[in-house]
Amino acid sequence: MNTQVEIIPFSPDLKEYIKTLNKEWLQKYFRVEEKDEIVLSNPQEEIIDKGGMIFYAKYNEEILGTVSLMKVDKTTFELSKMAVSNKAQGLGIGNKLLVHCLAVAEENNIKKLFLYSNRMLLPAIHLYEKFGFTEVPLGNVSYERADIKMEKIMT
């Protein structure tokens, strides 16, 4: 039995997981917005084909977490669609997904990562802060649930 959390890249046979994992937390705290529905239903077209990346956390042969790096331009990506299954809370999966994204950003010469979140999601905010993300002005945001924008300049 593999008790290690393994981070694996997107493949078409795993496309449903980005949707089910994200919907689970969105429905718990907010609602699934139209933009979520479009991206989550078409991860290949909306993320991968546009130069982005999707990763999954696999534990005991089960996909329990996901995160995406959505391309804005060559050196700027949005850290997005991060979700960890309720039953996997406490395994450090969010932590591992973030570590992986930062390593990938470094390998790919990505200079800036940013994300949108909500202040009520304290564990998530603390996790981002731990990894060096700092709050920046919200600006024009396309999600109604987003009330904080954070970014990390890669050095």
Side-chain angles (χ1 to χ4, degrees):
M1 195 158 105
N2 186 3
T3 53
Q4 289 300 305
V5 174
E6 188 189 357
I7 307 298
I8 58 172
F10 175 84
S11 58
D13 60 311
L14 297 175
K15 98 178 192 82
E16 277 311 301
Y17 289 102
I18 186 174
K19 189 171 184 176
T20 51
L21 287 163
N22 272 281
K23 279 189 155 181
E24 182 184 308
W25 80 265
L26 284 169
Q27 286 162 344
K28 182 175 171 185
Y29 294 105
F30 306 103
R31 69 180 189 87
V32 179
E33 297 177 36
E34 193 181 346
K35 184 177 177 184
D36 297 313
E37 192 61 56
I38 293 167
V39 174
L40 296 174
S41 297
N42 308 288
Q44 178 77 46
E45 296 79 0
E46 294 294 322
I47 300 173
I48 303 290
D49 294 352
K50 293 179 179 177
M53 295 165 256
I54 300 170
F55 302 104
Y56 293 109
K58 190 174 174 186
Y59 178 78
N60 281 347
E61 299 311 307
E62 203 177 349
I63 303 291
L64 295 174
T66 184
V67 66
S68 299
L69 287 174
M70 296 174 75
K71 185 175 184 174
V72 176
D73 60 43
K74 213 171 74 158
T75 58
T76 308
F77 280 70
E78 178 182 355
L79 184 80
S80 184
K81 306 294 175 235
M82 184 158 167
V84 176
S85 170
N86 281 333
K87 62 181 176 187
Q89 302 292 324
L91 287 175
I93 288 178
N95 211 47
K96 285 193 163 71
L97 286 167
L98 258 178
V99 166
H100 186 77
C101 283
L102 294 177
V104 166
E106 220 164 90
E107 284 162 26
N108 291 280
N109 270 329
I110 295 168
K111 301 288 177 228
K112 181 164 87 178
L113 291 177
F114 70 92
L115 61 91
Y116 294 102
S117 190
N118 184 290
R119 294 174 195 280
M120 71 178 250
L121 302 173
L122 283 174
I125 303 288
H126 291 314
L127 182 66
Y128 302 137
E129 286 173 341
K130 182 175 118 177
F131 282 96
F133 283 84
T134 53
E135 186 175 349
V136 294
L138 194 56
N140 237 343
V141 61
S142 51
Y143 293 106
E144 61 184 46
R145 64 179 173 269
D147 68 359
I148 183 170
K149 180 180 182 181
M150 300 177 86
E151 72 176 31
K152 177 178 173 73
I153 306 297
M154 305 295 288
T155 45

